[in-house]
Coordinates of all heavy atoms in Angstrom, one line a residue:
V1 N 106.5 118.4 116.5 CA 105.6 117.5 116.5 C 105.1 116.8 115.3 O 105.0 115.7 115.1 CB 104.2 118.2 117.3 CG1 103.0 117.1 117.2 CG2 104.6 118.5 118.7
M2 N 105.0 117.7 114.2 CA 104.6 117.3 112.9 C 105.8 116.4 112.3 O 105.5 115.4 111.7 CB 104.3 118.4 112.0 CG 103.9 118.0 110.5 SD 103.3 119.3 109.4 CE 101.8 119.8 110.4
K3 N 107.0 116.9 112.6 CA 108.2 116.0 112.2 C 108.1 114.5 112.7 O 108.4 113.6 111.9 CB 109.6 116.7 112.5 CG 110.7 115.9 112.1 CD 111.9 116.4 112.9 CE 113.1 115.4 112.6 NZ 114.5 115.8 113.2
K4 N 107.8 114.5 114.0 CA 107.7 113.2 114.5 C 106.6 112.3 113.9 O 106.8 111.2 113.7 CB 107.3 113.3 116.1 CG 107.3 112.0 116.9 CD 107.0 112.3 118.4 CE 106.9 111.1 119.1 NZ 105.7 110.2 118.8
S5 N 105.5 113.0 113.6 CA 104.4 112.2 113.0 C 104.9 111.8 111.6 O 104.5 110.6 111.1 CB 103.2 113.2 112.8 OG 102.6 113.4 114.1
L6 N 105.5 112.6 110.8 CA 106.0 112.2 109.4 C 107.2 111.2 109.6 O 107.2 110.2 108.7 CB 106.5 113.4 108.8 CG 105.4 114.5 108.4 CD1 105.9 115.7 107.8 CD2 104.3 113.8 107.4
K7 N 108.0 111.3 110.5 CA 109.1 110.3 110.6 C 108.5 108.9 110.9 O 109.1 107.9 110.5 CB 110.1 110.6 111.7 CG 110.8 112.0 111.6 CD 112.0 111.8 110.6 CE 113.1 111.3 111.2 NZ 114.3 111.4 110.1
E8 N 107.4 108.9 111.8 CA 106.8 107.5 112.0 C 106.2 107.1 110.8 O 105.9 105.7 110.6 CB 105.7 107.8 113.0 CG 106.4 108.0 114.4 CD 105.3 108.4 115.4 OE1 104.1 108.6 115.1 OE2 105.6 108.5 116.7
R9 N 106.0 107.7 109.7 CA 105.6 107.3 108.4 C 106.7 107.0 107.4 O 106.5 106.8 106.3 CB 104.5 108.3 107.7 CG 103.3 108.5 108.6 CD 102.4 107.4 108.4 NE 101.1 107.4 109.1 CZ 100.2 106.4 109.3 NH1 100.5 105.2 108.7 NH2 99.2 106.5 110.1
N10 N 107.9 107.0 107.9 CA 109.1 106.6 107.2 C 109.6 107.9 106.4 O 110.3 107.5 105.4 CB 108.8 105.4 106.2 CG 108.9 104.2 107.0 OD1 109.4 104.1 108.2 ND2 108.4 103.1 106.4
F11 N 109.2 109.1 106.7 CA 109.9 110.1 105.9 C 111.3 110.3 106.4 O 111.6 110.2 107.5 CB 109.1 111.4 106.3 CG 107.9 111.7 105.5 CD1 106.7 110.9 105.7 CD2 107.8 112.6 104.5 CE1 105.6 111.1 105.0 CE2 106.7 112.9 103.8 CZ 105.6 112.0 104.0
I12 N 112.2 110.5 105.4 CA 113.5 110.5 105.7 C 114.2 111.8 105.0 O 113.6 112.3 104.0 CB 114.3 109.3 105.0 CG1 113.9 109.2 103.5 CG2 114.0 108.1 105.9 CD1 114.7 108.0 103.0
P13 N 115.3 112.3 105.5 CA 115.9 113.5 104.9 C 116.4 113.3 103.4 O 116.3 114.4 102.8 CB 117.0 113.8 105.9 CG 116.8 112.9 107.1 CD 116.1 111.8 106.7
H14 N 116.9 112.2 103.1 CA 117.5 112.0 101.8 C 116.7 111.0 101.0 O 116.7 109.9 101.5 CB 118.9 111.8 101.9 CG 119.7 112.7 102.7 ND1 119.8 114.0 102.2 CD2 120.3 112.7 103.9 CE1 120.6 114.7 103.2 NE2 120.8 113.9 104.1
R15 N 116.0 111.4 100.0 CA 115.3 110.4 99.2 C 116.1 109.3 98.6 O 115.7 108.2 98.2 CB 114.6 111.1 98.1 CG 113.5 112.1 98.6 CD 112.6 112.6 97.7 NE 111.9 111.5 97.0 CZ 111.1 111.6 95.8 NH1 111.4 112.7 95.1 NH2 110.4 110.6 95.4
K16 N 117.4 109.3 98.4 CA 118.3 108.4 98.0 C 118.2 107.1 99.0 O 118.4 106.0 98.6 CB 119.7 108.8 98.0 CG 120.0 109.8 96.9 CD 120.0 109.3 95.5 CE 120.3 110.3 94.4 NZ 120.2 109.8 93.2
Q17 N 118.0 107.4 100.3 CA 117.8 106.4 101.2 C 116.4 105.8 101.1 O 115.3 106.6 101.4 CB 117.9 106.8 102.7 CG 119.2 107.6 103.0 CD 119.3 108.2 104.2 OE1 118.5 107.8 105.2 NE2 120.2 109.3 104.4
S18 N 116.2 104.6 100.6 CA 114.9 104.2 100.1 C 114.1 103.6 101.3 O 114.4 102.6 101.8 CB 115.0 103.2 99.0 OG 115.6 103.7 97.9
K19 N 113.0 104.3 101.6 CA 112.0 103.7 102.5 C 110.6 104.1 102.0 O 110.4 105.1 101.7 CB 112.1 104.4 104.0 CG 113.3 103.7 104.8 CD 113.1 104.1 106.3 CE 114.2 103.5 107.1 NZ 114.2 104.0 108.6
F20 N 109.7 103.0 101.8 CA 108.4 103.3 101.4 C 107.6 104.0 102.5 O 107.9 103.7 103.6 CB 107.8 102.0 100.8 CG 106.7 102.3 99.9 CD1 106.7 102.8 98.7 CD2 105.4 102.1 100.3 CE1 105.6 103.1 98.0 CE2 104.2 102.3 99.6 CZ 104.4 102.8 98.3
L21 N 106.6 104.7 102.1 CA 105.7 105.3 103.1 C 105.1 104.1 103.8 O 104.5 103.2 103.4 CB 104.6 106.1 102.2 CG 103.6 106.8 103.0 CD1 104.2 107.9 103.9 CD2 102.5 107.3 102.1
N22 N 105.0 104.4 105.2 CA 104.3 103.5 106.2 C 102.8 103.8 106.1 O 102.4 104.9 106.5 CB 104.8 103.8 107.5 CG 104.3 103.0 108.6 OD1 103.4 102.2 108.3 ND2 104.7 103.2 109.8
I23 N 102.1 102.9 105.6 CA 100.6 103.1 105.5 C 99.8 102.3 106.5 O 98.6 102.2 106.4 CB 100.1 102.8 104.0 CG1 100.5 101.4 103.7 CG2 100.7 103.8 103.1 CD1 99.9 101.0 102.3
D24 N 100.5 101.9 107.6 CA 99.8 101.2 108.6 C 98.7 102.0 109.3 O 98.9 103.2 109.5 CB 100.8 100.8 109.7 CG 101.8 99.7 109.3 OD1 101.5 99.0 108.2 OD2 102.8 99.5 110.0
N25 N 97.6 101.4 109.6 CA 96.5 102.1 110.4 C 95.9 103.1 109.5 O 95.3 104.1 110.0 CB 96.9 102.8 111.7 CG 97.6 101.6 112.6 OD1 97.0 100.6 112.8 ND2 98.8 102.0 113.2
I26 N 96.0 103.0 108.2 CA 95.3 104.0 107.3 C 94.1 103.1 106.6 O 94.5 102.0 105.9 CB 96.2 104.6 106.3 CG1 97.1 105.4 107.0 CG2 95.3 105.5 105.4 CD1 98.2 106.1 106.2
S27 N 92.9 103.5 106.5 CA 91.9 102.7 106.0 C 92.0 102.5 104.5 O 92.6 103.5 103.9 CB 90.5 103.4 106.3 OG 90.4 104.5 105.6
K28 N 91.6 101.4 103.9 CA 91.7 101.1 102.5 C 91.1 102.3 101.8 O 91.7 102.6 100.7 CB 91.2 99.8 102.2 CG 91.5 99.4 100.8 CD 91.0 98.1 100.5 CE 91.2 97.6 99.0 NZ 90.8 96.2 98.7
K29 N 89.9 102.8 102.2 CA 89.2 103.9 101.4 C 90.0 105.0 101.2 O 89.8 105.9 100.3 CB 87.9 104.0 102.0 CG 87.9 104.7 103.3 CD 86.5 105.1 103.7 CE 86.4 105.9 105.0 NZ 85.1 106.2 105.4
L30 N 91.0 105.2 102.1 CA 91.8 106.5 102.1 C 93.1 106.3 101.3 O 93.8 107.3 100.9 CB 92.1 107.1 103.5 CG 91.0 107.6 104.3 CD1 91.4 108.1 105.6 CD2 90.3 108.7 103.5
L31 N 93.5 105.0 101.1 CA 94.8 104.7 100.4 C 94.8 105.3 99.0 O 95.9 105.7 98.5 CB 95.1 103.3 100.4 CG 95.4 102.6 101.6 CD1 95.6 101.0 101.4 CD2 96.6 103.2 102.4
I32 N 93.7 105.3 98.2 CA 93.7 105.9 96.9 C 93.9 107.3 97.0 O 94.4 107.9 96.0 CB 92.2 105.6 96.3 CG1 92.1 105.9 94.9 CG2 91.1 106.4 97.1 CD1 93.2 105.2 94.0
Y33 N 93.6 108.1 98.1 CA 93.9 109.5 98.1 C 95.4 109.8 98.3 O 95.9 110.6 97.9 CB 93.1 110.2 99.3 CG 91.6 110.2 98.8 CD1 90.7 109.2 99.1 CD2 91.1 111.3 98.0 CE1 89.4 109.2 98.8 CE2 89.8 111.3 97.7 CZ 88.9 110.2 98.0 OH 87.6 110.3 97.6
I34 N 96.1 108.8 98.9 CA 97.6 108.8 99.0 C 98.1 108.8 97.7 O 99.0 109.4 97.3 CB 98.0 107.7 99.9 CG1 97.7 108.1 101.4 CG2 99.5 107.5 99.8 CD1 98.2 106.9 102.4
L35 N 97.5 107.8 96.9 CA 98.0 107.6 95.6 C 97.7 108.9 94.6 O 98.5 109.4 93.8 CB 97.3 106.3 94.9 CG 97.8 106.0 93.5 CD1 99.3 105.8 93.5 CD2 97.2 104.8 93.0
Y36 N 96.6 109.5 94.8 CA 96.3 110.8 94.1 C 97.3 111.8 94.4 O 97.8 112.5 93.6 CB 94.9 111.3 94.6 CG 93.7 110.5 94.1 CD1 92.4 110.7 94.8 CD2 93.7 109.6 93.2 CE1 91.4 109.8 94.5 CE2 92.6 108.8 92.7 CZ 91.5 109.0 93.5 OH 90.4 108.3 93.0
G37 N 97.7 112.0 95.7 CA 98.8 112.8 96.1 C 100.2 112.5 95.4 O 100.8 113.5 95.0
M38 N 100.4 111.3 95.3 CA 101.6 110.8 94.7 C 101.6 111.0 93.1 O 102.6 111.6 92.5 CB 101.8 109.3 94.8 CG 102.3 108.9 96.2 SD 102.3 107.1 96.4 CE 103.0 107.0 98.1
W39 N 100.4 110.9 92.5 CA 100.2 111.2 91.1 C 100.4 112.6 90.8 O 100.9 113.0 89.8 CB 98.7 110.7 90.6 CG 98.6 109.3 90.4 CD1 99.6 108.2 90.4 CD2 97.4 108.6 90.2 NE1 99.1 107.1 90.1 CE2 97.7 107.2 89.9 CE3 96.1 109.0 90.0 CZ2 96.8 106.2 89.6 CZ3 95.1 107.9 89.8 CH2 95.5 106.7 89.6
D40 N 99.9 113.5 91.8 CA 100.1 115.0 91.5 C 101.5 115.4 91.7 O 102.0 116.3 91.0 CB 99.2 115.8 92.6 CG 97.8 116.1 91.8 OD1 97.6 115.7 90.7 OD2 97.1 116.9 92.6
S41 N 102.2 114.8 92.6 CA 103.6 115.3 92.8 C 104.6 114.7 92.0 O 105.5 115.4 91.4 CB 104.0 115.0 94.3 OG 103.8 113.6 94.7
D42 N 104.7 113.4 91.8 CA 105.7 112.6 91.1 C 105.1 112.0 89.9 O 105.8 111.1 89.2 CB 106.3 111.6 92.0 CG 107.8 111.9 92.2 OD1 108.3 112.9 91.8 OD2 108.5 111.0 92.9
G43 N 103.9 112.4 89.5 CA 103.4 111.8 88.2 C 103.0 112.8 87.3 O 103.1 114.0 87.4
Y44 N 102.5 112.3 86.1 CA 101.9 113.2 85.1 C 100.8 112.4 84.2 O 101.0 111.3 84.0 CB 102.9 113.8 84.3 CG 103.9 112.9 83.4 CD1 103.5 112.7 82.1 CD2 105.0 112.3 84.0 CE1 104.3 111.8 81.3 CE2 105.7 111.4 83.2 CZ 105.4 111.2 81.9 OH 106.1 110.3 81.1

């Protein structure tokens, strides 16, 4: 079930295949928190 939810957000098995995160139907006030998660994982 969780895999299906993530695949609908453009999660893919191999990051070399470039697909950006699907942020449809996510309120603008929550988009900054998506960026916070990105900053923590792939940022410094």
Side-chain angles (χ1 to χ4, degrees):
V1 174
M2 186 174 291
K3 175 192 171 182
K4 181 176 182 294
S5 295
L6 293 174
K7 296 284 277 188
E8 290 173 351
R9 293 286 176 189
N10 285 344
F11 277 72
I12 54 179
H14 306 290
R15 296 187 66 200
K16 294 286 186 182
Q17 304 170 23
S18 297
K19 280 190 175 183
F20 195 72
L21 181 66
N22 176 5
I23 56 177
D24 291 347
N25 302 317
I26 298 177
S27 68
K28 185 175 180 179
K29 70 177 183 179
L30 293 179
L31 291 182
I32 187 63
Y33 291 90
I34 290 177
L35 186 58
Y36 291 157
M38 291 175 169
W39 281 351
D40 264 4
S41 57
D42 246 7
Y44 64 95

